[in-house]
Amino acid sequence: MAKAHYRLLFLCYLLNVGASAVARKRLLLDDPAAILNRLDQLEKTVQKQSIEFEQLKRTQNDTKPAFFAVLLISAGEIFGNEQILKFDSVKTNIGRGYDPITGVFIAPKDGTYQFTSVIYGQGADIEAQMNRNNELLLRGYSSGASHAESMVMSGVVTLKTGDHIFIQHRGPAVDTARGDSHSSFAGFMI
């Protein structure tokens, strides 16, 4: 029944908008078997594409977002006054949630995520924090007592689609995070 319905719709299309008067006469009067054959081919193509589309949707829904980015700038990143630290070299970005221009990960789907950041200082104290949207999740501190110190921040958090996670400077000072792939930010859905 559905096949006959599609054939009727296709023929109406040809009669009303799909072909000129000459082409209509040639197609419909001279070779109706060719029309039915072509219609069968189109129906099979649509069925095949529907199956492929459903498979693609299932694959996409099964993919868990993950990213890993490092600070590549050799001179380091100078940041202060509540600036967001931008890890400029993206090594992995499954789900395309991390943006190196803004330094923000935006959750592409609801779920529980693990985030870790390592910030390597260059001879001075560094104060930073990990935020969800504008909410403080955890703080990190690295003492500048020696030439190079690092801090590690790591946490597990439940996110909704569209939530933002980022590393932000805290405190009044201006700090330098060491580049050359010494500082990093990573996250993934558990």
Side-chain angles (χ1 to χ4, degrees):
M1 181 67 179
K3 205 176 218 186
H5 180 72
Y6 287 123
R7 287 180 180 166
L8 180 61
L9 287 174
F10 182 70
L11 290 174
C12 289
Y13 171 77
L14 288 176
L15 288 171
N16 293 323
V17 295
S20 68
V22 174
R24 255 186 267 138
K25 181 178 179 184
R26 191 187 80 227
L27 287 173
L28 297 176
L29 298 178
D30 293 341
D31 199 0
I35 293 173
L36 294 176
N37 185 38
R38 180 67 179 138
L39 190 55
D40 284 339
Q41 291 173 351
L42 291 172
E43 287 175 347
K44 289 176 183 174
T45 301
V46 167
Q47 288 173 351
K48 181 181 174 188
Q49 289 177 342
S50 292
I51 291 168
E52 290 172 353
F53 179 72
E54 289 302 318
Q55 290 172 340
L56 183 62
K57 279 183 9 184
R58 278 194 301 275
T59 300
Q60 186 176 22
N61 288 337
D62 293 341
T63 302
K64 292 184 177 183
F67 77 97
F68 173 61
V70 298
L71 187 59
L72 197 59
I73 301 168
S74 61
E77 176 77 7
I78 299 172
F79 68 121
N81 300 321
E82 298 182 0
Q83 286 178 303
I84 294 173
L85 185 54
K86 297 165 188 77
F87 298 85
D88 59 330
S89 180
V90 179
K91 306 298 184 181
T92 301
N93 202 1
I94 299 168
R96 303 174 63 85
Y98 181 73
D99 181 356
I101 295 171
T102 63
V104 177
F105 172 80
I106 301 174
K109 57 172 59 173
D110 293 0
T112 303
Y113 292 77
Q114 157 93 45
F115 294 98
T116 302
S117 180
V118 176
I119 302 175
Y120 193 48
Q122 293 192 166
D125 293 359
I126 292 185
E127 297 181 64
Q129 63 190 45
M130 186 182 295
N131 287 4
R132 174 180 50 206
N133 302 320
N134 287 321
E135 168 195 357
L136 169 69
L137 290 176
L138 59 109
R139 295 181 180 168
Y141 175 79
S142 173
S143 170
S146 69
H147 174 67
E149 297 275 339
S150 64
M151 81 168 86
V152 176
M153 294 182 286
S154 185
V156 174
V157 62
T158 300
L159 299 179
K160 298 285 185 198
T161 301
D163 279 348
H164 293 59
I165 297 288
F166 53 92
I167 306 302
Q168 182 178 28
H169 182 269
R170 64 182 180 89
V174 174
D175 298 324
T176 302
R178 187 165 182 193
D180 289 326
S181 299
H182 286 90
S183 299
S184 64
F185 183 29
F188 58 91
M189 179 183 263
I190 299 173

